Amino acid sequence: MTQERYQEAMKFAGEKHCQQKVPGTNSNYLLHISNVAMEVLFAYTFDKNFDIDFAIQIAILHDVIEDTNADFETIKYKFGENVAVAVQALTKDETLDTKEEQMLDSLRRINTLQKEVGLVKLADRITNLQSPPRHWNSSKIIKYCEEAKLISKALNGKNMYLNKRLNSKIIEYEAKIQTIGR
């Protein structure tokens, strides 16, 4: 049942991310986590053609391997192998040399799995396309927008609602870039 899985995953993520803040803010990282889950829930209201329980779990847990001391085996034990594999695919492989290689590798892994994994990545980037942190320079902001376009293209067709939403967020972000450049 969705509520129980949501609560179990949120409790785990809350404990693991308890010291983490949303970059550039004083907000607890659970704000980001809950926003990604909200995007997935809204997508489900428009298209029920995916496993909402699976998608919600990975939405909530999507950053626990990348950003905390949680590992694949812990996720597998607590939430099952499918969830662990999904979270691992959403985790950048930091042994790769560049951020671009890490993103391309993650997108490749995401595209070998269930569509729920891809739609969580779309929801994650939608959530991240807010006003950029003040400490980012214009080059980083532009690069982040270009990365969003890559994500949109690579995950096109995972969920029509989220694909459209990401593309509209990219347009909004590009407008912000124009105002920053002035």
Side-chain angles (χ1 to χ4, degrees), residues 68-173:
T68 77
N69 65 354
D71 61 15
F72 178 87
E73 290 302 320
T74 303
I75 304 301
K76 181 179 170 183
Y77 174 76
K78 289 191 74 56
F79 301 98
E81 186 166 5
N82 283 344
V83 172
V85 169
V87 172
Q88 186 68 52
L90 293 161
T91 302
K92 293 180 203 83
D93 180 352
E94 294 188 352
T95 66
L96 298 174
D97 292 334
T98 66
K99 295 250 185 217
E100 183 178 359
E101 288 174 309
Q102 292 171 11
M103 179 57 69
L104 290 170
D105 172 66
S106 178
L107 290 170
R108 180 192 54 75
R109 289 181 284 130
I110 289 167
N111 273 322
T112 66
L113 298 173
Q114 305 92 325
K115 67 180 166 186
E116 290 84 355
V117 184
L119 69 85
V120 166
K121 183 62 181 177
L122 292 167
D124 178 42
R125 188 47 61 109
I126 290 164
T127 300
N128 286 337
L129 284 179
Q130 307 298 321
S131 294
R134 293 184 189 269
H135 65 276
W136 283 16
N137 63 33
S138 60
S139 174
K140 182 168 182 155
I141 294 167
I142 291 167
K143 197 172 203 172
Y144 199 73
C145 189
E146 292 303 312
E147 192 177 82
K149 291 176 187 177
L150 174 67
I151 292 166
S152 179
K153 183 178 178 182
L155 302 177
N156 189 35
K158 298 294 181 187
N159 181 277
M160 189 183 307
Y161 171 81
L162 290 174
N163 282 121
K164 284 181 180 180
R165 185 143 160 74
L166 177 56
N167 289 331
S168 75
K169 293 298 278 184
I170 290 169
I171 291 167
E172 290 174 23
Y173 203 77

Side-chain angles (χ1 to χ4, degrees), residues 40 42-50 115 119 158-161:
V40 170
F42 267 92
Y44 193 71
T45 66
F46 288 92
D47 175 7
K48 293 184 176 20
N49 192 23
F50 64 90
K115 67 180 166 186
L119 69 85
K158 298 294 181 187
N159 181 277
M160 189 183 307
Y161 171 81

